[in-house]
Amino acid sequence: MTIQTRRERERAERERLIVTAARELAEAEGWDAVTTRRLAAEIEYSQPVLYSHFKGKDAIMAAVAVQGCADLAAELRAARTAAGGIRESLAAVAQTYTSFAQRRPALYDAMFTHLVDLPFATEEAPAPLWDAFGELLLAVEPIAAEGDDPGLLTETFWACLHGLATLTRSGRLPEGAHESRLALLVGHFAG
Amino acid sequence: MTIQTRRERERAERERLIVTAARELAEAEGWDAVTTRRLAAEIEYSQPVLYSHFKGKDAIMAAVAVQGCADLAAELRAARTAAGGIRESLAAVAQTYTSFAQRRPALYDAMFTHLVDLPFATEEAPAPLWDAFGELLLAVEPIAAEGDDPGLLTETFWACLHGLATLTRSGRLPEGAHESRLALLVGHFAG
DNA sequence: CCCTGATTCTAGCATCGCTAGCGATTCTGT
DNA sequence: ACAGAATCGCTAGCGATGCTAGAATCAGGG
């Protein structure tokens, strides 16, 4: 039995290694640089081992995305709990969210831009996804008017943040005025 | 001289053909199906002619994106002028925008999701881009509070629509409640 | 009629994601 | 302890991608 468990432990460790290497490589040089050959070289194994762990490159990206959601959830939680009032919490969360997208673009893309076959809005969604959404929910809930569904409001607010993050990062919105737009958004939701 | 002009005319015609074929193929089967070989076959020329017109596949996508902006601008204009009041115009424009993204996903991706080296927020941006933004501006301007920069507010509202469109289409937001989220957004901006 | 210049095509390169099939290594049963 | 069996990772290769170099073809001018 212990041999079996050691095998599984080593295997799990290697899987972790793959995901970590993929994330670091993506964050350093972008997802285009994350080829299966390059990734295999990075973990010092041959290409086909990747496919014994994941169905394909997309599945690896999905695993990275789940990790990223955990990171984002942690950052959001820290920002929210550090903020004072209701409106301040919302502003802090919004600021942290867009900052995350700008600081870690490759990670953000894997999470929310790249088309990936992760269950999202269902119960089968991985826990870190729910955690991240939950953090947004905790910040948005207090500003919901009576009769509003907080979940729906959170989804809407999230979408707004996502739009600001992606359009700004792709150069479709001038970067300089980002803070102003963020303030405008928070004002319209919490005002 | 007339020979020269005929040559140029034919060349321009072929360029138009390339962009149209690319757009139709993308809308029919998605951008993954738009390979240079497939596209060349579609226009009944060989592959390298594409590169005598465009720098590469990305440039072709950019050309398609500009066409798409013209289409979007036209749809937005129709929706806005058909609507009655200020709030109704905003709602109609929002509805039309997200509907466009859902009805023509490949086109929308080329315009606003795919990373493309088009000048966007500068004066060198192609006219259709400004037209589309201008339509949004005309709908948003009336609901701007005094002291608000209408341009900035439009950018923000646009980002919200973009976020809703992309997250819904990628399955990250449940599709059923889309209208509710749209109403929530319009309510928070025009309320 | 041949030459010159532009234009288009054939053929190929490097790289991509992914897979089949072999060799070696490790476990199992007697 | 040792032979058979099963698992594991590797080498090699497939089809397809974006893109390019050089041959071939066609037009116009002396």
Side-chain angles (χ1 to χ4, degrees):
Chain A
M1 185 63 104
T2 115
I3 285 179
Q4 190 77 1
T5 58
R6 192 212 60 197
R7 276 276 168 89
E8 288 176 8
R9 195 178 56 236
E10 286 178 352
R11 194 180 157 76
E13 177 64 22
R14 193 174 59 181
E15 187 156 318
R16 223 180 49 81
L17 195 66
I18 293 174
V19 176
T20 302
R23 196 196 52 195
E24 289 177 353
L25 193 51
E27 296 204 65
E29 306 183 32
W31 280 108
D32 283 347
V34 185
T35 69
T36 56
R37 285 171 175 81
R38 182 89 184 270
L39 188 52
E42 210 76 34
I43 64 171
E44 297 177 315
Y45 278 91
S46 72
Q47 248 186 320
V49 292
L50 300 177
Y51 295 90
S52 73
H53 288 272
F54 299 95
K55 191 180 162 191
K57 187 184 172 181
D58 283 354
I60 298 177
M61 289 188 67
V64 172
V66 171
Q67 262 199 14
C69 280
D71 286 13
L72 176 61
E75 286 196 24
L76 290 181
R77 162 158 296 230
R80 183 175 52 80
T81 56
I86 290 177
R87 189 199 179 100
E88 286 75 17
S89 290
L90 191 69
V93 160
Q95 161 65 32
T96 303
Y97 185 97
T98 54
S99 158
F100 182 92
Q102 193 186 23
R103 279 181 288 113
R104 314 179 75 174
L107 199 50
Y108 189 87
D109 278 349
M111 291 158 63
F112 301 131
T113 299
H114 193 84
L115 196 48
V116 81
D117 57 350
L118 263 180
F120 247 85
T122 74
E123 295 178 0
E124 299 94 41
L129 270 63
W130 280 111
D131 291 346
F133 185 81
E135 287 301 322
L136 285 177
L137 185 69
L138 286 173
V140 170
E141 218 165 14
I143 59 104
E146 46 186 331
D148 276 0
D149 177 358
L152 220 54
L153 189 63
T154 304
E155 290 177 356
T156 307
F157 188 69
W158 171 35
C160 296
L161 292 178
H162 175 70
L164 281 174
T166 53
L167 288 182
T168 302
R169 200 169 65 66
S170 70
R172 283 164 171 108
L173 287 178
E175 195 154 353
H178 171 64
E179 297 295 334
S180 306
R181 288 188 294 267
L182 212 53
L184 225 44
L185 175 69
V186 172
H188 274 93
F189 272 81
Chain B
M1 186 62 106
T2 114
I3 286 178
Q4 190 78 1
T5 57
R6 192 210 61 198
R7 278 274 170 89
E8 288 174 7
R9 195 177 56 236
E10 287 177 352
R11 194 180 158 76
E13 177 62 24
R14 194 174 58 180
E15 188 156 317
R16 224 180 49 80
L17 195 66
I18 292 174
V19 176
T20 301
R23 195 196 53 194
E24 289 177 354
L25 193 50
E27 295 203 65
E29 306 184 31
W31 280 108
D32 283 348
V34 185
T35 69
T36 56
R37 284 171 175 81
R38 183 88 185 271
L39 188 52
E42 211 74 35
I43 64 170
E44 296 178 316
Y45 279 91
S46 72
Q47 249 185 318
V49 291
L50 301 176
Y51 296 89
S52 73
H53 288 271
F54 300 95
K55 191 179 161 191
K57 187 183 173 182
D58 283 354
I60 297 177
M61 288 186 67
V64 172
V66 171
Q67 263 200 12
C69 280
D71 286 13
L72 176 61
E75 286 197 23
L76 291 181
R77 162 159 298 231
R80 182 176 53 79
T81 55
I86 290 178
R87 189 198 178 100
E88 286 74 18
S89 290
L90 191 68
V93 162
Q95 161 64 32
T96 303
Y97 185 97
T98 54
S99 158
F100 181 92
Q102 193 186 21
R103 277 181 290 112
R104 314 179 74 176
L107 199 50
Y108 189 87
D109 279 350
M111 292 157 61
F112 300 131
T113 298
H114 193 82
L115 195 48
V116 81
D117 58 350
L118 264 180
F120 248 85
T122 73
E123 294 179 1
E124 299 97 42
L129 270 63
W130 280 112
D131 291 346
F133 185 81
E135 287 302 322
L136 285 177
L137 185 70
L138 285 173
V140 170
E141 218 164 15
I143 58 105
E146 45 188 330
D148 276 1
D149 177 358
L152 220 53
L153 188 63
T154 303
E155 289 177 358
T156 308
F157 188 70
W158 172 34
C160 297
L161 291 178
H162 175 69
L164 280 174
T166 54
L167 289 181
T168 302
R169 201 168 64 67
S170 70
R172 284 162 172 110
L173 286 178
E175 194 154 353
H178 171 65
E179 297 295 333
S180 305
R181 288 188 294 268
L182 213 53
L184 225 43
L185 176 70
V186 172
H188 274 92
F189 270 81

